[in-house]
Amino acid sequence: MTHPHVCRHTYCSNMAKSGMNPKTLQYLMGHADIGVTLNTYTHVGLDDVKNEIDRVTALSCVEA
């Protein structure tokens, strides 16, 4: 059985991946320290890194 606390990790990760401002996310999560929000509750994987690199590469191609 999955513990309900996992939902906080999923929510935080999904909001970060959607581009939410980290300070806003910190406030919504109720954390006094941004490090808790970003280092404990936000999880990224290899696919997330690839998607971000693709996004930045596409932006640099448009600007060129």
Side-chain angles (χ1 to χ4, degrees), residues 23-41:
K23 291 299 285 183
T24 302
L25 186 52
Q26 173 191 359
Y27 177 81
L28 291 173
M29 294 294 291
H31 297 148
D33 182 357
I34 190 78
V36 173
T37 305
L38 296 178
N39 297 325
T40 303
Y41 280 87

Side-chain angles (χ1 to χ4, degrees), residues 13-57:
S13 294
N14 288 344
M15 293 300 100
K17 290 175 190 177
S18 76
M20 181 178 280
N21 179 293
K23 291 299 285 183
T24 302
L25 186 52
Q26 173 191 359
Y27 177 81
L28 291 173
M29 294 294 291
H31 297 148
D33 182 357
I34 190 78
V36 173
T37 305
L38 296 178
N39 297 325
T40 303
Y41 280 87
T42 304
H43 308 285
V44 295
L46 186 57
D47 287 340
D48 301 311
V49 174
K50 182 186 177 310
N51 290 340
E52 191 65 15
I53 290 171
D54 291 345
R55 185 186 70 79
V56 171
T57 302

